[in-house]
Amino acid sequence: MSRRSDFVAGVRTVAPVTVGIAPFGLVAGVAAVEADLGVDAAMGFSTVVFAGASQLAAIELLAGDASLPVVVATALVINARMLMYSASIAPHFEGSSGRVRALAAYLLTDQAYALSVVRFREDGTSMPYYLGVASPLWVVWVCCTLVGAVVGARLPAWLPLGFAVPLTFLAILVPAVEDRPSVVAAVVGGAVAVVGAGLPFNLGLLGGGVSGILAGLAAEVTE
Amino acid sequence: MNAWVAIAAIGVGTFAIRASFIYLYEYLDLPPLAERALELVPAAVLSALVAPAVFVRDDGSVAVADPRVGAAVVAAAVAWYSDDILLTIVGGLAALLALRAAV
């Protein structure tokens, strides 16, 4: 496939997924304005940081007059899971230039990682497809933040669009679990994340990911 | 003002996290076990993203008898048979609305 058709294929794949991002983008905008940070800071968070969970935590801490080091450290611990994404996706980006890789890194999110890494394994297409997946997520995130910040719009509570986010990951997870080590990794990763769901800094997610990987490796070695 | 200092610091730090291995990978000579660990990242992390959203309620309690669990089972079945993200999302959301209405 050509670069252009790879990019378009990525856009097509991500289109339904953006539905789940929209409510959180609105919340990211609303939260910043309600914390008296202003529309400009709301947009600053969504464009410069571009990582939802860490944005919301930072906004809440700033609103509570937390000290700057606490705000920054909290946000970065929440985003530490992206080290795993960066390592996992890196082999597929080796052929790209430094500038393109910088763009790819900036656009790296849970969704962009999940949607493209399984596809890479299937047919080896990489950067254009990834950028096709990652860019619409950025556009929707930034636009929804703006709407949330300016209009103060939220979606009605009965409409569970936010559930589309875990459903997206589930849709990718099911075919990705293909042998005993990956089953063990998924079961342990999910269980640890559930047990650790109440931990601060999103540590349940990080701990679930790391322990799932270790358990999967253990299953592989003992096979 | 404080907000913009925070935005800049978090932005730089988050970019460093995201870019880390994307730039370092070619200089690393990873043993086979580490390569295999990287292959297990999707299964472990995706499950860690999904499971709390399905089994943990807003009040922090863990529940198996919850509309979201039923919706996730339906969605997993749709994903298994269709391997289609859009169908999985639509099927899961429809199941969630139906189960909520039925409970």
Side-chain angles (χ1 to χ4, degrees):
Chain A
M1 283 213 291
S2 70
R3 287 173 169 274
R4 189 191 165 87
S5 64
D6 278 344
F7 184 88
V8 172
V11 173
R12 285 217 181 109
T13 304
V14 82
V17 174
T18 58
V19 171
I21 308 304
F24 293 109
L26 292 173
V27 168
V30 172
V33 172
E34 282 180 353
D36 283 329
L37 298 177
V39 176
D40 58 332
M43 299 313 292
F45 268 113
S46 278
T47 53
V48 177
V49 178
F50 184 50
S54 70
Q55 289 179 221
L56 290 173
I59 287 166
E60 197 180 314
L61 288 170
L62 284 171
D65 282 328
S67 72
L68 197 62
V70 170
V71 177
V72 175
T74 301
L76 294 182
V77 172
I78 290 173
N79 291 337
R81 70 186 184 287
M82 295 189 198
L83 277 173
M84 293 188 283
Y85 304 161
S86 184
S88 168
I89 212 165
H92 305 284
F93 290 169
E94 269 193 294
S96 299
S97 73
R99 266 191 227 172
V100 173
R101 275 192 276 179
L103 176 65
Y106 167 65
L107 292 174
L108 187 60
T109 54
D110 297 323
Q111 284 81 5
Y113 166 73
L115 287 170
S116 47
V117 77
V118 286
R119 161 89 180 215
F120 292 161
R121 288 211 202 146
E122 282 167 18
D123 60 14
T125 52
S126 48
M127 192 56 88
Y129 180 83
Y130 170 82
L131 292 176
V133 167
S135 329
L137 291 166
W138 186 90
V139 172
V140 171
W141 183 253
V142 170
C143 289
C144 287
T145 302
L146 185 62
V147 172
V150 173
V151 186
R154 290 176 196 265
L155 288 167
W158 62 267
L159 196 63
L161 284 184
F163 198 61
V165 173
L167 288 176
T168 302
F169 298 132
L170 185 63
I172 304 163
L173 171 66
V174 169
V177 175
E178 53 199 0
D179 51 15
R180 204 170 77 93
S182 58
V183 171
V184 172
V187 170
V188 172
V192 171
V194 166
V195 172
L199 294 175
F201 311 128
N202 238 0
L203 283 178
L205 172 55
L206 188 63
V210 171
S211 41
I213 293 164
L214 294 176
L217 282 181
E220 172 128 336
V221 172
T222 56
E223 221 163 43
Chain B
M1 182 58 215
N2 218 10
W4 278 101
V5 179
I7 289 168
I10 298 168
V12 169
T14 302
F15 180 78
I17 290 170
R18 286 168 160 150
S20 57
F21 286 99
I22 290 177
Y23 283 97
L24 290 176
Y25 181 79
E26 61 190 292
Y27 303 107
L28 302 174
D29 193 15
L30 292 181
L33 198 64
E35 298 274 1
R36 183 64 183 134
L38 294 185
E39 288 174 12
L40 289 169
V41 173
V45 173
L46 290 172
S47 184
L49 283 165
V50 172
V54 171
F55 293 107
V56 182
R57 289 182 169 161
D58 290 341
D59 63 5
S61 63
V62 176
V64 178
D66 188 277
R68 285 174 304 160
V69 178
V73 171
V74 171
V78 174
W80 178 265
Y81 285 108
S82 72
D83 203 358
D84 185 293
I85 293 168
L86 176 58
L87 274 182
T88 305
I89 292 173
V90 171
L93 288 181
L96 181 62
L97 287 174
L99 287 167
R100 275 192 186 164
V103 170

